[in-house]
Amino acid sequence: MQTLRRFFSAVISASLILLNLAAAGQAQDVMLKSRDGAIELSGTLLGFNGEFYRVETVYGELTVDGSGVTCDGPGCPSLTDYIAQVRLSGARELGLVLIPALLEAFAAQNHLLAVLEPIDDSRFTYVLKDQRSDKIQAEFHFQLSTAEEGFADLIADNAEISMSTREIRAAEKHRLEEGQPHDLPYRREHVLALDALVPVTIPDHPVRQISLKNLALVFGGKITNWRDLGGPNAPIALYLRSHASGTSQSVTDRILQPADQDITDAVTRIADGKDLDLQVSRDPLALALMTHSYIRFSHPMQISGDCGVSLGADPRMIKTQDYPITTPIFLYMAMHRLPKIAREFLAYTSTDSAQAVIERAGFINQNLEEISLNQQGDRLVQAVSVAGTGSIEKAMDLDASKPSTQNTGATLKDLQNMLNFLAPLRRVTMSFRFLSGSSQLDAQSRANIHRLAMVLESGAYDGRQLAFVGFSDGLGPASRNLEIAQKRAETIRDAVLKIAEAVNLDRINITTTAFGEAMPMACDDTEWGRDVNRRVEIWVR
């Protein structure tokens, strides 16, 4: 029985993705035997990643730790000549520059030589060789297409890693996880870098800001003249990336669908982000939505609200998600354990070295910065401008639950208490926000849980105070909003500490507090505005 336990201790039922097998590239029969010969398991070999065998058996699809067994049969791979095979598919803009740059830096750091072997315009392979022995360690095969096709390849067992400029959609996620256990011991979603959707115009255009509501109406074809946006009496020329691009699909998911709009046929589609940026910079009638990483010649507009708040796509604003249309860059992994070298590469992408590569490639890295309170003048001005304006209404129990154009519940006393607490601290460029109408964190915030846990375990904040600070929207009673904000701060703290098992809590002073609706980032008259306001910030001293 003890032998049986050892043999199956690493066995995990999963829906397995086919790898390029070392032996003829086809599934073949194998017999796996425990070292003492007491246990035998026969079946069809589906894959081998250098550590684990994946076998179709009478018990279903099983993954078995290769260190505890021997393999007999025509399908058994060579353990000495094993070469890790990793297939990446998806967004062309990531596969052309960013991922190869990271892979080359990873190889150099590990004394490997990365050799590029082109195939055609959409396919190439990076061969990683040991610099001393010239022995091939791994082959990373790239298929460049779109985020949508990358997810299709992942679902169809044609890729181990999907590269995407948008979050996986619910239907895609369901197809990927269909029939899989929900307790797999490894994460399948990895935020690689940060970006944002930004409305852009010609540099000297008179209209400098636009609300998300009007942005949806413009790209939905309901607003067609610049005059309706405060500009000249002239038609709006709309531009977007191609239909299948992750950027275009993010516009649908993040802006159009929440406003019950469909993209108008009047949009001019341009395949390449650089070409889109250049085209807009030359067209005085143009309005486009494009990613921050491609903006060179066009001019970014700010996102505004009826209450006077306007937010620009500054890198710090994107890191903190104060800018409302952040679009993280994702890698999604197959539903089985990747080869060791692939896991090491993914771990490398979170290092300081990798973050420098990400910045050079034109994306926004996830390195944490600290911002003093006096560097956040716009936020303070907004907090002061709305403080106390609705305290009488709430005290009289009027209909304060209705969305208003501004946050109105915090009093000047509330603001004073908040400033007294925050003045000696510095804000970390990391926030936690929740899906609309949900207690679940959004994708960037889920990644931040793990990132902050790693930072705490590294000892970076030893000897310092770290505060989880909760904020809310302005709907409902201020006391209730304060209570909810405090609960969110505690929930985020607990989630981080659950992962940061190696952190020494005797060396760091971790606290939670909340200020409810005292510092709104956006107007409460829209769902996205309320989403931006409901957040947990990190402050350190």
Side-chain angles (χ1 to χ4, degrees):
M1 180 61 70
Q2 189 64 31
T3 301
L4 184 63
R5 287 197 193 99
R6 287 197 302 268
F7 181 69
F8 285 106
S9 62
V11 175
I12 306 168
S13 294
S15 174
L16 303 170
I17 292 181
L18 299 177
L19 293 175
N20 295 329
L21 301 180
Q26 293 182 349
Q28 298 187 48
D29 291 339
V30 296
M31 174 74 75
L32 301 180
K33 298 180 181 179
S34 60
R35 296 293 181 182
D36 60 6
I39 302 296
E40 295 183 352
L41 183 69
S42 62
T44 301
L45 183 65
L46 299 176
F48 178 69
N49 68 2
E51 299 174 290
F52 291 83
Y53 295 95
R54 298 180 292 111
V55 185
E56 176 68 38
T57 73
V58 294
Y59 308 106
E61 297 170 343
L62 302 178
T63 299
V64 180
D65 189 343
S67 64
V69 299
T70 60
C71 183
D72 293 326
C76 291
S78 170
L79 301 183
T80 57
D81 298 327
Y82 169 75
I83 298 174
Q85 303 291 326
V86 185
R87 296 167 297 174
L88 300 94
S89 177
R92 174 176 290 271
E93 54 263 53
L94 303 182
L96 276 178
V97 178
L98 179 58
I99 310 298
L102 288 167
L103 193 57
E104 290 177 0
F106 165 76
Q109 184 169 293
N110 289 275
H111 308 291
L112 298 171
L113 182 64
V115 180
L116 174 62
E117 297 183 350
I119 300 174
D120 54 37
D121 289 343
S122 298
R123 295 181 299 157
F124 58 88
T125 296
Y126 266 97
V127 178
L128 270 55
K129 299 181 178 180
D130 188 286
Q131 290 181 348
R132 290 158 294 189
S133 67
D134 205 39
K135 180 180 178 180
I136 297 176
Q137 302 294 316
E139 294 177 345
F140 285 73
H141 307 280
F142 285 76
Q143 173 69 55
L144 306 185
S145 51
T146 65
E148 187 172 35
E149 292 181 34
F151 286 126
D153 280 341
L154 200 64
I155 293 166
D157 299 351
N158 293 325
E160 280 71 59
I161 299 176
S162 171
M163 306 173 289
S164 180
T165 54
R166 66 166 173 84
E167 188 173 357
I168 191 170
R169 288 171 167 170
E172 293 165 332
K173 188 172 187 291
H174 175 74
R175 291 177 60 198
L176 180 63
E177 297 178 346
E178 191 172 13
Q180 305 305 320
H182 297 289
D183 57 348
L184 290 176
Y186 24 86
R187 295 165 58 208
R188 294 294 158 208
E189 177 184 75
H190 180 70
V191 174
L192 182 66
L194 303 177
D195 212 335
L197 285 174
V198 185
V200 294
T201 63
I202 194 169
D204 58 354
H205 199 283
V207 180
R208 295 294 186 175
Q209 59 185 26
I210 186 172
S211 69
L212 276 184
K213 177 182 177 181
N214 283 342
L215 206 51
L217 293 176
V218 167
F219 280 90
K222 302 301 188 296
I223 295 177
T224 59
N225 195 296
W226 279 109
R227 175 184 55 202
D228 298 324
L229 301 175
N233 183 12
I236 303 174
L238 298 177
Y239 293 88
L240 274 180
R241 295 283 303 280
S242 57
H243 291 83
S245 72
T247 300
S248 182
Q249 292 170 357
S250 288
V251 170
T252 297
D253 296 346
R254 302 288 301 279
I255 299 175
L256 276 296
Q257 283 186 353
D260 294 322
Q261 298 293 318
D262 295 317
I263 294 180
T264 175
D265 293 335
V267 172
T268 297
R269 300 283 185 168
I270 297 180
D272 184 79
K274 293 180 180 178
D275 292 340
L276 175 59
D277 175 56
L278 190 60
Q279 178 68 31
V280 171
S281 72
R282 296 172 175 175
D283 186 347
L285 303 179
L287 174 59
L289 273 164
M290 60 184 298
T291 54
H292 180 274
S293 56
Y294 274 120
I295 298 176
R296 297 293 183 274
F297 305 107
S298 56
H299 183 78
M301 302 174 72
Q302 291 193 322
I303 300 297
S304 64
D306 292 341
C307 60
V309 179
S310 59
L311 303 169
D314 174 87
R316 283 180 174 175
M317 296 282 280
I318 294 172
K319 285 186 178 184
T320 60
Q321 295 177 268
D322 291 346
Y323 182 76
I325 342 175
T326 59
T327 53
I329 303 302
F330 295 97
L331 297 179
Y332 286 91
M333 273 64 73
M335 300 299 290
H336 63 77
R337 185 183 294 270
L338 299 184
K340 181 180 179 182
I341 195 168
R343 303 197 305 272
E344 291 173 343
F345 170 66
L346 291 172
Y348 164 78
T349 63
S350 296
T351 65
D352 290 343
S353 171
Q355 296 305 307
V357 174
I358 287 168
E359 187 172 12
R360 288 197 298 270
F363 295 90
I364 297 170
N365 66 44
Q366 298 180 80
N367 283 339
L368 299 184
E369 304 175 52
E370 296 179 12
I371 315 169
S372 64
L373 190 62
N374 60 17
Q375 291 177 288
Q376 303 176 60
D378 290 345
R379 296 215 306 165
L380 296 179
V381 168
Q382 171 62 16
V384 171
S385 69
V386 302
T389 58
S391 56
I392 295 177
E393 178 187 74
K394 289 198 172 185
M396 295 175 63
D397 282 334
L398 298 181
D399 195 0
S401 63
K402 290 183 178 179
S404 61
T405 58
Q406 59 187 18
N407 181 293
T408 59
T411 66
L412 289 175
K413 180 64 174 177
D414 296 330
L415 181 59
Q416 185 180 39
N417 292 337
M418 179 187 71
L419 295 180
N420 287 338
F421 179 85
L422 296 179
L425 283 71
R426 299 172 66 87
R427 186 187 180 191
V428 177
T429 53
M430 169 187 287
S431 298
F432 300 89
R433 284 185 165 81
F434 303 84
L435 296 174
S436 182
S438 170
S439 60
Q440 299 297 313
L441 291 172
D442 63 20
Q444 188 171 333
S445 299
R446 293 194 298 269
N448 284 345
I449 292 284
H450 291 268
R451 181 168 294 277
L452 183 55
M454 290 173 56
V455 172
L456 292 180
E457 288 184 324
S458 74
Y461 291 123
D462 284 0
R464 304 182 68 181
Q465 176 189 358
L466 186 145
F468 292 80
V469 183
F471 294 91
S472 71
D473 60 40
L475 270 66
S479 59
R480 176 58 176 162
N481 289 338
L482 185 63
E483 180 183 335
I484 293 173
Q486 176 67 35
K487 182 63 176 178
R488 288 189 179 124
E490 294 170 356
T491 298
I492 297 300
R493 176 204 59 193
D494 294 345
V496 171
L497 294 182
K498 181 178 180 180
I499 295 174
E501 296 178 350
V503 66
N504 188 339
L505 295 178
D506 294 331
R507 296 181 180 179
I508 181 171
N509 178 19
I510 296 179
T511 63
T512 64
T513 191
F515 297 105
E517 47 199 279
M519 191 183 288
M521 293 304 307
C523 310
D524 279 327
D525 60 338
T526 61
E527 186 61 40
W528 74 264
R530 295 188 288 274
D531 289 343
V532 170
N533 288 334
R534 295 190 290 259
R535 67 196 186 277
V536 174
E537 298 179 356
I538 305 299
W539 290 72
V540 296
R541 182 178 185 176

